[in-house]
Amino acid sequence: PEDSVATHWQRYVQGCEENGIEPNGAKWRVARTILVTETDAEAERYLQQPGCAPRYYFDYLSSLMKKAGFSQVMKGLRKDMSDADLTPDWCINEVVIAGSPATVADRINALRDRIGPFGTIILGGIDWDDKPLWRNSIKLFAEQVLPRLN
């Protein structure tokens, strides 16, 4: 979750300061699951499908983390959150950046403003259950999202 990722920048800065190094956001990378579609509604429809790849992934991952006793890793700083609340819907809402090119660019820029000056965003890999959708997502990201990023 975002609140957890924000602590990474804080620790990076602390480590740099302790070692006399100037913190450099350009060297910090953040990974997110990103889906770019023509419209926000298209992304919402896809992510609500019970069998879509992100939903399957987060269901599988959260189930494993719960069984292993590591669910707090996925909950971030929410110490009072129950395992029952760690659902694929929660994960999609908290972790996935999805929507039109403008929405995705706005969300990435806002993420950077909130958590720190990361220089690179890494698109997390998920199996392409809908190859044309995901291929178009990569194309839209390259052609329409990247030019809008600060």
Side-chain angles (χ1 to χ4, degrees):
E2 183 178 308
D3 60 354
S4 182
V5 177
T7 66
H8 300 179
W9 175 250
Q10 295 162 2
R11 297 286 187 241
Y12 171 74
V13 169
Q14 179 183 4
C16 286
E17 290 171 351
E18 289 171 359
N19 291 286
I21 299 169
E22 183 71 27
N24 182 351
K27 293 183 178 182
W28 184 36
R29 295 162 181 87
V30 171
R32 295 278 95 175
T33 300
I34 297 175
L35 172 64
V36 189
T37 54
E38 300 294 339
T39 67
D40 293 344
E42 181 183 358
E44 287 176 30
R45 277 191 305 274
Y46 170 74
L47 291 171
Q48 289 173 0
Q49 294 176 16
C52 76
R55 184 169 298 283
Y56 176 83
Y57 170 76
F58 286 113
D59 183 44
Y60 177 74
L61 184 61
S62 62
S63 295
L64 286 180
M65 296 298 245
K66 290 174 191 177
K67 287 178 187 171
F70 293 118
S71 60
Q72 195 60 50
V73 171
M74 293 185 70
K75 298 176 198 174
L77 302 179
R78 294 168 182 88
K79 302 287 185 199
D80 59 342
M81 183 178 167
S82 74
D83 279 1
D85 290 333
L86 180 60
T87 64
D89 282 329
W90 184 86
C91 293
I92 288 170
N93 289 333
E94 288 292 317
V95 178
V96 176
I97 296 174
S100 69
T103 296
V104 169
D106 288 348
R107 288 193 59 201
I108 292 170
N109 284 325
L111 176 69
R112 183 181 283 126
D113 290 343
R114 287 190 303 271
I115 69 169
F118 58 88
T120 301
I121 188 149
I122 300 168
L123 281 66
I126 289 187
D127 291 340
W128 287 8
D129 58 329
D130 182 337
K131 196 170 186 175
L133 176 92
W134 287 101
R135 185 181 307 269
N136 192 50
S137 177
I138 298 295
K139 181 177 186 242
L140 290 171
F141 187 85
E143 294 176 357
Q144 295 185 36
V145 174
L146 283 178
R148 293 177 170 154
L149 298 182
N150 296 338

